[in-house]
Amino acid sequence: MQTDSSFTFVLFGGTGDLSMRKILPALFEAHRAGGMLADSGKIVAVARHATDRREYIEWVNEHVKPHVSKNGVDETAWASFLERIEFVNIDLGKAEDFVHLRDAIKDLPGIRVFYLATGPSLFVPICHALASVGLNENSRIVLEKPLGYDLKSSNAINDAVGEIFAEEQIYRIDHYLGKEPVQNLLALRFGNALFEPLWRREWVESIQITIAEELGVEARGDFYDNTGALRDMVQNHLLQLLSIVAMEPPHSMDSDSVRDEKLRVLRALKPIDPRDIGKVAVRGQYHSGVIRGTAVPAYATESGVRPDSTTETFVALKVEIENWRWAGVPFFLRTGKRLADRVAEIVVNFRAVPHSALGASALRAGANRLVIRLQPNETIRLYCLAKQPGEGMNLASVHLDLAFDQFFREGQMEAYQRLLLDVINGRLALFVRRDEQEAAWRWVEPILNEWKVSNKPPKPYASGTWGPAASSAMLAQHGTCWLEEEN
């Protein structure tokens, strides 16, 4: 991915955790690869926790370096990367301070990218301040999640930002859309004749999408306790992955063609009747337990969390799509903290053969399945049945792997690296359009409202397990189970 696009990348929240762990390491990897970033491109960090460039570079050396280049840091590349970085110390709450930012970047070349790695409460003030000094022209702005607390607050932020930046200037980032297997899912579906005839209700029995974390809320207790898993993960990441899996083939891979098809899926989601929420939605909260031999505390005792909190740390949902391709196919979504493993995956369970002359094993659900693993390792695996060696016709499950590192010499690109390059080069396909976001909030809100009205506490689950038993029971009602339970 070569580029000659000159740019000035302005990073608000330049000393924050996201900048240290993800954004600056991604920019370094693009720099180190050579040719991905224009030589004239500059990175301008904006923060209050450093007084000048020298102090900021010391901060970067201490906090960013541990997160780059798994096989060691190329010191020559690192030194040249640091030369790209400038620093501006301003108070984001003071619009008058943005004059200093304008003066610092006015002579820097290329498109201006403003990345808001800050809390959402600062999105609108920053945008207004940028406009007050004329920095909203010839620019793009990247908004991190969460973008609002509900549909009303999301619309308020989008309205305010939309008054200052045109929709084609706004990049609402969801890093799961930048992951290599998600890109390969599009390639498998729309680049091969093999899967398209099977990618429909006649041949698919069910689909599971899981994003599981071993970690708890860590230092984010204050934020998380006012957010919960449904807002933090389902409304954005999980529904975006669902829309990629279920979308119709776009006429091209340009930004609006892809996003139009995703929007059609989100608008086709079957509304959940509040009376049925107990049957199709499971919410849980982790208690104390043991993960990999280490005792971990209950959610309610975490720092920043209210002792009587009813915030959910686990959600499992049964979702249906009301269109011709997917009518009647259940989509099971699941996410949670303090679960048994860190994994993100999409599981497509194909229907069993209608009649088997080879024994009962050929008739079991899931004998044929496609597993797209997003993390920790990124793979795509197709399962089928084959005869075991030896006497008799005994079948066993085998799999075919798409092993990226064996087919391609180039290393895989991290999600943030791909998405940041897309912003610099003006590619919007992997970013969330406003109408997509509204459709997702509109579907999620009845669940949030019913949970608030009913005031029922989340179901407890021990840390280090796969969540409340009700999650498994929900799938059992449909004659299936989560992938790890079958294994």
Side-chain angles (χ1 to χ4, degrees), residues 42-62:
K42 287 289 187 180
I43 301 166
V44 180
V46 178
R48 285 192 302 168
H49 292 91
T51 57
D52 55 24
R53 182 181 184 278
R54 179 194 59 79
E55 187 175 330
Y56 184 72
I57 294 299
E58 290 177 356
W59 181 279
V60 169
N61 274 317
E62 179 181 353

Side-chain angles (χ1 to χ4, degrees), residues 210-216 286 290-292 313-315 334-343 461-468:
T210 294
I211 302 177
E213 300 176 87
E214 286 184 332
L215 294 175
Y286 67 79
V290 177
I291 296 181
R292 301 192 187 281
T313 62
F314 176 96
V315 175
R334 174 178 61 164
T335 186
K337 292 187 174 296
R338 292 285 191 221
L339 298 182
D341 200 2
R342 174 180 175 263
V343 63
Y461 64 94
S463 294
T465 66
W466 282 104

Side-chain angles (χ1 to χ4, degrees), residues 13 17 31 74 78 95 97 103 129 136 156 159 174 177 243 252 260 310 318 372 465:
D17 185 62
H31 169 87
D74 180 333
W78 179 252
D97 278 13
D103 293 344
N136 57 321
D159 287 343
D174 186 328
L177 298 184
S243 67
S252 74
D260 284 347
T310 58
K318 178 201 167 209
I372 302 106
T465 66

Side-chain angles (χ1 to χ4, degrees), residues 33-34 55 90 164 176 181 233-234 336 361 378 458 477:
E55 187 175 330
I90 63 174
I164 298 163
Y176 276 87
M233 299 297 291
V234 176
S361 59
E378 300 182 343
Q477 292 175 0

Side-chain angles (χ1 to χ4, degrees), residues 132-153:
S132 72
V133 294
L135 290 178
N136 57 321
E137 299 177 2
N138 187 35
S139 62
R140 297 167 187 147
I141 189 157
V142 185
L143 303 179
E144 268 285 348
K145 77 172 186 75
L147 202 65
Y149 183 79
D150 51 20
L151 179 60
K152 181 179 179 180
S153 58

